[in-house]
Amino acid sequence: MTTEKIRVGLVDDMQLMRSGLAMVIDSLDDMTVVMEAEDGRQAIERLQSTPVDVLVMDVRMEGMNGLEATRIITAEHPPTGVSPKVIILTTFDEDEYVMEAIDAGASGFLVKDAPTESMIEAIRTVHRGDGVIAPSTTKRLIDRIAAESLRSSQTRPELLEPLTEREREVLYLIARGLSNLEIAAELYVAEATVKTHVGRIFTKLGARDRVQAVVLAYEAGLVKPGQSAS
């Protein structure tokens, strides 16, 4: 039985970076590079005719940068009918880039010096509908989201009104950093059941992925500072 490969797009102004990553991706059985671009504007143009599932985008490029391009790409519905999910790459492990990337609609954030295996796994994870943040920034990011929510002191519990009691429980555990497998163990249910709950949570909240769901959990006041996984 054959499965369709994940169609990957690479956007980076360094040809060497694109070539190296493309070589690795094209050697795998489950993904292939279908598009390359040297800046955000060129990526937007090429997405009009080339369907891409996951876009790996550098944050700093000549011309249109990755954050600006991501904001446009995630807001558009390209003629191909495929809206790519975006992983932002940066050489700077700085919180403001993570916040901007999430705000722009990115589903993942990794530093460029992450092992190639981590980048490949990130592509698979984002394609499945989950979010990816570089491990070194995850806890700081969650703490920052919590702090900003507290500063505004404008929690919005009404955001969670569409969720059932069980779905709120699952969202709470997602926001604490638990994987689907860990949530299944915590709630004594099958992992497939958790996946169903997670899908419904995303749909009801209008969340793209786990990362945005965590942001919404904090905004709603479901999770408080200090409750995230360490």
Side-chain angles (χ1 to χ4, degrees):
M1 187 176 78
T2 59
T3 56
E4 287 189 15
K5 292 189 175 187
I6 302 170
R7 296 165 295 190
V8 180
L10 303 178
V11 188
D12 197 305
D13 54 6
M14 291 178 62
Q15 172 70 44
L16 191 61
M17 176 73 180
R18 297 201 313 269
S19 298
L21 193 51
M23 191 179 301
V24 174
I25 289 172
D26 285 336
S27 71
L28 301 172
D29 294 332
D30 62 339
M31 61 182 73
T32 183
V33 174
V34 295
M35 184 273 276
E36 292 187 33
E38 61 185 22
D39 68 11
R41 194 170 304 284
Q42 190 176 76
I44 292 168
E45 290 171 359
R46 293 184 176 177
L47 285 170
Q48 302 305 302
S49 57
T50 305
V52 172
D53 298 309
V54 179
L55 205 58
V56 180
M57 176 104 66
D58 188 20
V59 72
R60 286 192 170 184
M61 295 177 288
E62 294 293 328
M64 184 181 289
N65 67 44
L67 295 174
E68 187 180 352
T70 297
R71 200 175 298 278
I72 294 170
I73 289 166
T74 57
E76 284 187 342
H77 299 286
T80 62
V82 179
S83 297
K85 294 177 179 177
V86 181
I87 297 174
I88 290 285
L89 292 182
T90 178
T91 51
F92 304 94
D93 184 10
E94 297 177 354
D95 294 344
E96 56 265 32
Y97 281 117
V98 187
M99 294 300 291
E100 285 186 56
I102 293 172
D103 185 57
S107 297
F109 179 94
L110 288 175
V111 288
K112 275 189 173 181
D113 60 3
T116 305
E117 296 79 11
S118 298
M119 207 169 293
I120 296 303
E121 191 52 41
I123 293 171
R124 293 184 179 122
T125 300
V126 165
H127 184 250
R128 286 197 304 266
D130 290 340
V132 173
I133 304 175
S136 55
T137 66
T138 303
K139 190 175 187 305
R140 294 200 315 275
L141 172 65
I142 290 176
D143 288 344
R144 177 167 173 169
I145 293 169
E148 290 185 358
S149 294
L150 282 179
R151 266 201 303 275
S152 68
S153 54
Q154 292 288 329
T155 56
R156 297 188 291 156
E158 69 275 7
L159 289 172
L160 305 184
E161 285 177 2
L163 303 185
T164 64
E165 215 38 62
R166 176 61 95 181
E167 287 164 355
R168 291 184 190 212
E169 199 172 1
V170 170
L171 178 59
Y172 171 75
L173 295 174
I174 290 173
R176 285 186 54 209
L178 275 66
S179 67
N180 285 353
L181 189 59
E182 290 167 332
I183 293 171
E186 182 88 9
L187 300 179
Y188 302 101
V189 297
E191 187 179 3
T193 302
V194 174
K195 287 181 180 177
T196 300
H197 286 314
V198 171
R200 287 174 179 162
I201 289 167
F202 291 172
T203 299
K204 289 180 178 181
L205 296 183
R208 291 179 299 271
D209 49 48
R210 256 177 150 77
V211 174
Q212 195 178 35
V214 170
V215 174
L216 291 170
Y218 273 103
E219 288 182 354
L222 180 66
V223 188
K224 304 292 191 298
Q227 291 181 324
S228 60
S230 57

